């Protein structure tokens, strides 16, 4: 199986999640995972390790009313594949600095039918049960499926690099890919059923609003309760128009 190859799974049993461990001076690790809950197996679908600016990750051109960047490209690709990413888990400080403070990011979530959650790295990182060490048992038990195709150079190089970091942690020179894997493992047990691939996510209610800054959370809470009278959630702009009347 190559990168970007999705196994034959039932979308009713699965969550499609992306993780991001950013860095201001080193590499960003961006990963796309699918968790098959029926068999409790994790499938790595894509992995990118790259030096980035925040604009290279996600940006908005107000004149063109258009989004760009790796995040937007991956989201669009996941939708085309039939396995839309329902949640992006991003290191908390970076999520607030690069994303949550901008209203256009919340509009991007609405248009892309996805959510963003901040992950607090230091709180449980060293915990033997819930920290990075918890990954070891997943791999030992065969619960993680990594793509590997000897004939595909890109897949082979990326996965070999990932495997080296996994096996050498905590003494590896880098840990960004391991961190991205842990973000996924730590958060997946609390994923709401509404984020399963087969479910239709059309509302603005954000199950992870607690990871947003208080000002943004208060504003979201003010418009998420507005409805059209037909139990259909309103878009961001429509809700704001009603609030401003």
């Amino acid at each position: 199986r190559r990168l970007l190859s999705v196994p034959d799974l039932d979308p009713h049993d699965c969550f499609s999640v992306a993780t991001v461990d950013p860095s201001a001076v080193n590499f960003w690790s961006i990963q796309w995972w699918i968790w098959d809950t029926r068999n409790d197996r994790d499938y790595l679908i894509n992995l990118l390790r790259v030096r980035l600016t925040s604009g290279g990750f996600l940006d908005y051109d107000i004149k063109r009313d258009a989004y760009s960047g790796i995040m937007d490209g991956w989201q669009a690709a996941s939708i085309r594949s039939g396995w839309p990413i329902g949640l992006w888990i991003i290191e908390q400080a970076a999520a607030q600095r690069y994303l949550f403070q901008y209203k256009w990011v919340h509009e991007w979530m609405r248009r892309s039918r996805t959510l963003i959650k901040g992950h607090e790295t230091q709180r449980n990182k060293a915990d033997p049960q819930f920290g990075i060490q918890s990954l070891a048992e997943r791999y030992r038990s065969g619960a993680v499926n990594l793509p590997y195709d000897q004939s595909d150079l890109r897949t082979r190089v990326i996965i070999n690099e990932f495997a080296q970091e996994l096996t050498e942690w905590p003494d590896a020179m880098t840990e960004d890919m391991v961190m991205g894997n842990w973000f996924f493992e730590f958060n997946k047990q609390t994923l709401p059923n509404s984020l399963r691939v087969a479910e239709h996510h059309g509302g603005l209610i954000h199950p992870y609003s607690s990871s947003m800054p208080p000002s943004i959370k208060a504003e979201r809470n003010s418009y998420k309760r507005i409805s059209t009278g037909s139990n259909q959630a309103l878009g961001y702009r429509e809700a704001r128009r009603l609030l401003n009347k």
Side-chain angles (χ1 to χ4, degrees):
R1 183 171 71 89
R2 299 184 178 189
L3 287 166
L4 290 174
S5 173
V6 179
D8 184 16
L9 300 169
D10 185 343
H12 293 85
D13 298 329
C14 297
F15 293 91
S16 180
V17 177
T19 66
V20 184
D21 184 39
S23 172
V25 295
N26 291 311
F27 290 96
W28 291 47
S29 174
I30 307 170
Q31 302 173 17
W32 175 16
W33 292 87
I34 290 177
W35 177 32
D36 173 15
T37 61
R38 180 181 295 272
N39 300 294
D40 191 21
R41 286 178 66 85
D42 308 329
Y43 294 86
L44 179 65
I45 306 303
N46 201 9
L47 189 158
L48 180 63
R49 189 169 186 258
V50 64
R51 294 185 189 274
L52 273 181
T53 62
S54 58
F57 181 60
L58 184 65
D59 206 354
Y60 176 62
D61 186 333
I62 192 170
K63 292 182 179 179
R64 296 172 46 240
D65 188 26
Y67 299 93
S68 61
I70 290 173
M71 190 179 192
D72 186 60
W74 277 38
Q75 186 66 34
S78 73
I79 293 171
R80 289 194 300 269
S81 73
W83 292 88
I85 294 170
L87 179 68
W88 288 79
I89 304 169
I90 303 174
E91 191 273 326
Q92 177 72 10
Q96 293 192 14
R97 186 185 317 120
Y98 300 139
L99 299 172
F100 285 155
Q101 64 174 309
Y102 300 112
K103 290 184 179 180
W104 59 262
V105 171
H106 298 269
E107 175 67 11
W108 177 85
M109 284 194 284
R110 187 189 69 82
R111 292 189 189 183
S112 303
R113 308 174 75 79
T114 191
L115 300 171
I116 299 172
K117 177 185 182 182
H119 175 88
E120 293 191 14
T121 303
Q122 299 303 324
R123 179 174 293 180
N124 295 286
K125 181 179 178 180
D127 188 288
Q129 183 177 358
F130 301 109
I132 294 178
Q133 296 177 55
S134 64
L135 293 174
E137 181 57 33
R138 296 292 292 172
Y139 281 92
R140 275 196 294 264
S141 65
V144 183
N145 182 289
L146 301 180
Y148 199 84
D149 186 335
Q150 190 66 32
S151 65
D152 184 68
L153 178 62
R154 178 175 176 271
T155 299
R156 192 170 73 245
V157 169
I158 290 175
I159 298 304
N160 282 342
E161 187 178 42
F162 183 30
Q164 181 176 354
E165 191 175 279
L166 281 166
T167 55
E168 292 181 357
W169 188 89
D171 299 316
M173 295 183 65
T174 59
E175 64 173 13
D176 48 279
M177 291 180 286
V178 171
M179 290 290 288
N181 192 170
W182 174 57
F183 289 3
F184 171 67
E185 179 62 28
F186 182 85
N187 287 279
K188 70 182 188 182
Q189 299 295 340
T190 60
L191 293 171
N193 285 329
S194 61
L195 292 183
R196 288 179 185 266
V197 174
E199 296 294 324
H200 177 75
H201 177 70
L204 285 170
I205 297 176
H206 198 311
Y208 304 110
S209 62
S210 60
S211 67
M212 297 179 181
S215 59
I216 295 294
K217 181 168 62 174
E219 179 174 290
R220 291 186 67 87
N221 287 339
S222 72
Y223 65 76
K224 74 182 183 181
R225 293 187 295 268
I226 297 176
S227 71
T228 62
S230 60
N231 296 323
Q232 182 177 2
L234 292 177
Y236 174 84
R237 290 175 179 167
E238 292 85 350
R240 293 306 302 169
R241 276 201 296 271
L242 286 179
L243 285 171
N244 291 331
K245 283 185 176 181

